[in-house]
Amino acid sequence: QHTMTIAAATRIIHWCIVLHLSFLQIIGITSFQFGRNNPAFLCISKSIPNAQGRKHDVALSPLLAELSPTITVADEQQQQEQHHRHAIFHHTNAVSKPFPIPHPEIWHKFVTPTSREEESNRNNNSSPSFWEQLLSSAQNKVKNSEHQNQLVNDVTVQFDDATTGAQELVKQCQLFTQRSDDNTGKQSTLLPENTMMEQEITQHLTDVLSYFQSVACNDNSNIKCQARIVSSIGKNGIKCPRWHADHVPVRLVMSIIGPGCEYIPHEVEVMGSSSNSRLVDRNALNTLDEDDTRIANDIIVPPNLNTEAVTSAKEGDAVLLMGRAWEDSSEGDFTDDAKLAAVHRSPLLSSGQERILLTVDLVPHS
């Protein structure tokens, strides 16, 4: 009888464990993943709108907040920061600030396809023979014909500190020649003449990244940003030739080499327009089904208005473009009072024309 009692108790304990584990598996706690898509997370949560207008679940449970503070607290803070538009866009949707480019001759190395090969040859202190020079000249002619339209380099860096982000950009762009160690042959320290130029270029990028953070992050240093520098030659540098608006809270666009983006500020778009109409056809911008970019552009912004309505950014102009996530209108509200996302496009480039473009965004929230 004692044995039967123990066996019965064992069965009861077994089934209790099975039922308990099943319950835990159902609500998602067994994996200890308290993500917003986890049922355990969602069952005791509230919803707040994120930057894209969708609902974002934030845990109410103290236990979940304690076990996963970076998800429950930081996520909510980041979403709220991204949802609130900066006051700089109170009367406009596009703001430009000049940041003169220091040492553009250094940046040209980032857009020249053969620059790194040439640097390597100089570091090796090798003197090519007559036949090597002749062969190199012939190869360069072929390369030059092929390189009239191409993407050359593409560097992306994530950062929350502007100085660190700028330093990493300069490092990855490999703008500066380094002195080779006589013993190991490895490149170790910068040549003296490059040290000051590197500091000036790094400080310039730091200023630009800080400017973006001050607007996009509302001075919240916990929000990650992403900077991208792309160098190109010719028409391949025309990234977005069609008039469009970005699906982001805000984006910074700055040309380091070459022409900047073209955009139409809010105050110009509504200037002189009749009631409830704009210079930009917002319905066409959002819904037009036209594959021909030239035709589409003429419908979205009538060609007779281009010269007076379009602002063309110059080298070093850091243009902050408000995106759709910071619009203050409901869908289809195109009245003059509504602040809508900035309409912009890439400039036209000729064959062989060099361009280096810096863009800075908030890192998409996962």
Side-chain angles (χ1 to χ4, degrees):
Q1 185 178 359
H2 180 68
T3 302
M4 292 177 62
T5 303
I6 293 176
T10 301
R11 291 192 188 95
I12 292 173
I13 293 172
H14 169 77
W15 285 111
C16 285
I17 293 174
V18 170
L19 290 173
H20 182 65
L21 290 176
S22 299
F23 174 73
L24 292 180
Q25 185 174 8
I26 291 172
I27 66 172
I29 294 180
T30 50
S31 63
F32 290 100
Q33 295 177 349
F34 296 99
R36 62 182 181 181
N37 295 324
N38 192 297
F41 187 82
L42 299 179
C43 65
I44 42 177
S45 66
K46 66 178 180 179
S47 294
I48 62 172
N50 67 3
Q52 286 71 39
R54 295 188 293 270
K55 294 296 183 179
H56 173 64
D57 296 288
V58 179
L60 300 177
S61 167
L63 173 62
L64 293 185
E66 181 179 353
L67 290 176
S68 185
T70 57
I71 293 178
T72 58
V73 178
D75 283 6
E76 179 175 8
Q77 185 180 23
Q78 179 169 344
Q79 290 294 325
Q80 289 175 340
E81 292 291 346
Q82 292 187 13
H83 184 63
H84 295 293
R85 185 173 71 210
H86 193 277
I88 199 173
F89 292 121
H90 184 65
H91 296 293
T92 187
N93 57 8
V95 179
S96 178
K97 182 177 180 180
F99 288 87
I101 307 297
H103 308 292
E105 72 281 1
I106 297 296
W107 279 108
H108 277 289
K109 296 167 59 177
F110 187 63
V111 78
T112 306
T114 58
S115 62
R116 297 184 185 183
E117 297 173 9
E118 293 169 352
E119 291 294 343
S120 177
N121 291 335
R122 283 198 289 267
N123 291 333
N124 292 332
N125 295 319
S126 58
S127 299
S129 66
F130 168 78
W131 293 110
E132 288 174 333
Q133 293 181 38
L134 186 62
L135 177 60
S136 176
S137 176
Q139 290 175 337
N140 285 337
K141 288 182 179 179
V142 174
K143 287 180 179 179
N144 287 336
S145 64
E146 296 174 350
H147 293 161
Q148 291 300 300
N149 297 286
Q150 67 163 322
L151 293 177
V152 182
N153 290 301
D154 190 342
V155 166
T156 301
V157 168
Q158 291 191 0
F159 66 95
D160 50 24
D161 176 74
T163 301
T164 304
Q167 290 171 343
E168 188 62 24
L169 281 173
V170 172
K171 178 183 176 181
Q172 289 199 29
C173 289
Q174 301 181 29
L175 298 177
F176 294 94
T177 305
Q178 292 183 320
R179 180 192 288 112
S180 297
D181 189 287
D182 293 336
N183 297 323
T184 63
K186 294 182 179 180
Q187 294 180 341
S188 55
T189 59
L190 283 176
L191 295 173
E193 61 269 25
N194 288 341
T195 302
M196 183 173 294
M197 289 190 291
E198 184 197 32
Q199 292 173 351
E200 292 173 353
I201 289 178
T202 301
Q203 184 58 53
H204 173 258
L205 290 174
T206 299
D207 294 342
V208 176
L209 300 186
S210 296
Y211 176 56
F212 174 80
Q213 285 184 308
S214 68
V215 174
C217 305
N218 288 311
D219 296 319
N220 182 350
S221 60
N222 294 323
I223 298 179
K224 277 195 171 296
C225 303
Q226 179 170 289
R228 183 183 183 190
I229 297 180
V230 177
S231 63
S232 61
I233 298 176
K235 297 180 181 179
N236 282 4
I238 308 176
K239 184 180 178 183
C240 303
R242 181 167 173 155
W243 289 115
H244 67 283
D246 297 324
H247 290 268
V248 296
V250 59
R251 170 170 291 161
L252 183 146
V253 181
M254 185 183 79
S255 175
I256 297 174
I257 297 294
C261 68
E262 299 178 349
Y263 61 97
I264 303 176
H266 166 80
E267 59 273 23
V268 175
E269 182 180 347
V270 301
M271 181 178 61
S273 64
S274 59
S275 179
N276 296 328
S277 67
R278 292 168 173 261
L279 299 181
V280 176
D281 187 335
R282 289 279 173 169
N283 280 316
L285 179 75
N286 296 333
T287 62
L288 182 63
D289 183 14
E290 173 57 62
D291 293 332
D292 190 307
T293 297
R294 183 186 59 81
I295 295 176
N297 283 339
D298 287 347
I299 294 174
I300 297 170
V301 179
N304 61 307
L305 301 176
N306 273 341
T307 55
E308 60 187 65
V310 177
T311 299
S312 298
K314 301 178 178 62
E315 284 186 6
D317 287 350
V319 183
L320 288 171
L321 300 167
M322 191 183 82
R324 294 181 184 274
W326 274 2
E327 288 183 337
D328 59 2
S329 73
S330 59
E331 186 175 355
D333 179 10
F334 303 144
T335 58
D336 290 356
D337 293 335
K339 299 296 185 302
L340 305 178
V343 176
H344 60 285
R345 67 179 179 183
S346 300
L348 295 177
L349 299 173
S350 59
S351 181
Q353 186 173 6
E354 295 182 349
R355 191 179 191 223
I356 302 178
L357 187 69
L358 166 68
T359 56
V360 191
D361 292 281
L362 293 168
V363 174
H365 179 68
S366 58

